[in-house]
């Protein structure tokens, strides 16, 4: 059974750096084709794709946020970490990590419950 | 970026009736080498994470009721619920995974009439 869980601060101040950790089980991020991505949803708004890291350490980012995002993986800990610099109140959102199974299907078949992050001074 | 546009933004359908949500991509998400459309549909209920319903535009995810079906190719797609149930009230999103960023549509809110 695949599970993912997001962890990190619930409140960050403007200009600070956000670090979110996705801890997963039930799969390995060394399996060919597998990926873990991050998606966010501001209150009352749509889902926004942020970043994706693949089993081979290929990393993809949203171009609009690329300068602020870094995604890394630690396969020994079964974790994926997303950092976002220079946080702003518009970054207030629920942040999800999710699994993509590979085989060409980069859709997200299993999601974490999400973690709400508020940016406020 | 590929822009995904859904219509309508909201939809009210009677129980047992058909609901259809449309999704249009700003460029084709059909990969010619394998003739597959890189298009997924999700259901999102309040307080829950999104749930994958459909991938490859028409392949139903395991465990998804067969009243949910996906259709379309190239740039125009649809999600159809053949007989609306009360538990289908949610926001539905399409997503392309043809090229990064794997953009989502703006969502369609489905309610009971």
């Amino acid at each position: 059974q695949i599970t993912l869980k997001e962890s990190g601060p619930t409140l960050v101040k403007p200009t600070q750096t956000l670090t979110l950790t996705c801890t997963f089980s039930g799969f390995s991020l060394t399996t060919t084709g597998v990926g873990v991505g991050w998606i966010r949803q501001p209150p009352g708004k749509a889902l926004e794709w942020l970043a994706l890291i693949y089993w081979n350490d290929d990393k993809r980012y949203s171009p609009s946020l690329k300068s602020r995002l870094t995604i890394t993986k630690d396969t020994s800990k079964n974790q994926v970490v997303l950092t976002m610099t220079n946080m702003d109140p518009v970054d207030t959102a629920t942040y999800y990590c999710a699994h993509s199974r590979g085989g060409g299907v980069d859709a997200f078949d299993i999601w974490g419950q999400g973690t709400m992050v508020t940016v406020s001074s | 970026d590929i822009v995904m546009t859904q219509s309508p933004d909201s939809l009210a359908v009677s129980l047992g009736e058909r609901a259809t949500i449309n999704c249009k991509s700003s460029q084709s998400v059909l990969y010619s080498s394998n003739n597959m459309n890189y298009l997924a549909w999700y259901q999102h209920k309040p307080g829950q994470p999104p749930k994958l319903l459909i991938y490859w535009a028409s392949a139903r995810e395991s465990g998804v009721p067969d009243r949910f079906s996906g259709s379309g190719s190239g740039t125009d797609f649809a999600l159809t619920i053949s007989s609306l149930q009360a538990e289908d009230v949610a926001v539905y999103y399409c997503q392309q995974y043809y090229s990064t960023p794997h953009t989502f549509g703006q969502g369609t809110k489905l309610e009971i009439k």
Side-chain angles (χ1 to χ4, degrees):
Chain A
Q1 178 192 6
I2 292 175
T3 64
L4 304 98
K5 186 173 183 178
E6 307 87 352
S7 58
T10 57
L11 179 66
V12 298
K13 292 181 174 12
T15 75
Q16 286 186 336
T17 294
L18 171 69
T19 299
L20 294 173
T21 300
C22 177
T23 303
F24 58 85
S25 63
F27 69 96
S28 173
L29 204 35
T30 61
T31 301
T32 299
V34 170
V36 172
W38 287 93
I39 307 96
R40 72 178 178 181
Q41 184 179 38
K45 296 190 176 182
L47 300 171
E48 180 182 13
W49 188 96
L50 299 178
L52 178 60
I53 189 165
Y54 293 97
W55 87 104
N56 59 356
D57 212 36
D58 184 12
K59 301 168 185 178
R60 305 297 176 95
Y61 296 99
S62 170
S64 63
L65 293 168
K66 185 174 183 178
S67 64
R68 300 173 54 206
L69 293 175
T70 302
I71 190 169
T72 60
K73 62 180 174 70
D74 185 331
T75 52
S76 66
K77 293 182 178 179
N78 280 353
Q79 291 182 333
V80 170
V81 175
L82 182 76
T83 61
M84 181 180 292
T85 61
N86 194 24
M87 294 291 284
D88 182 272
V90 300
D91 297 312
T92 294
T94 296
Y95 288 75
Y96 296 97
C97 65
H99 168 269
S100 67
R101 65 167 70 109
V105 183
D106 283 344
F108 297 118
D109 58 345
I110 308 292
W111 295 59
Q113 286 296 312
T115 186
M116 178 67 194
V117 177
T118 300
V119 184
S120 175
S121 55
Chain B
D1 299 6
I2 298 176
V3 177
M4 307 300 289
T5 304
Q6 294 180 225
S7 61
D9 290 333
S10 62
L11 181 63
V13 174
S14 300
L15 290 173
E17 296 299 304
R18 178 185 300 260
T20 300
I21 298 168
N22 300 296
C23 175
K24 188 174 185 68
S25 56
S26 61
Q27 63 187 75
S28 176
V29 299
L30 174 64
Y31 194 37
S32 57
S33 67
N34 60 6
N35 203 37
M36 301 298 282
N37 288 283
Y38 285 56
L39 190 284
W41 288 96
Y42 299 86
Q43 176 190 65
H44 194 190
K45 297 181 179 180
Q48 298 181 20
K51 175 186 177 182
L52 178 65
L53 299 175
I54 302 285
Y55 59 96
W56 293 139
S58 61
R60 198 178 300 114
E61 179 72 349
S62 175
V64 172
D66 61 7
R67 65 180 181 273
F68 291 91
S69 63
S71 62
S73 184
T75 61
D76 292 280
F77 302 90
L79 173 71
T80 299
I81 307 171
S82 60
S83 177
L84 189 70
Q85 306 299 303
E87 61 265 31
D88 300 334
V89 169
V91 178
Y92 292 83
Y93 293 93
C94 60
Q95 181 206 20
Q96 63 81 19
Y97 50 95
Y98 181 88
S99 66
T100 55
H102 295 159
T103 41
F104 292 89
Q106 82 275 18
T108 294
K109 186 175 184 179
L110 179 59
E111 299 174 312
I112 305 294
K113 185 188 290 183

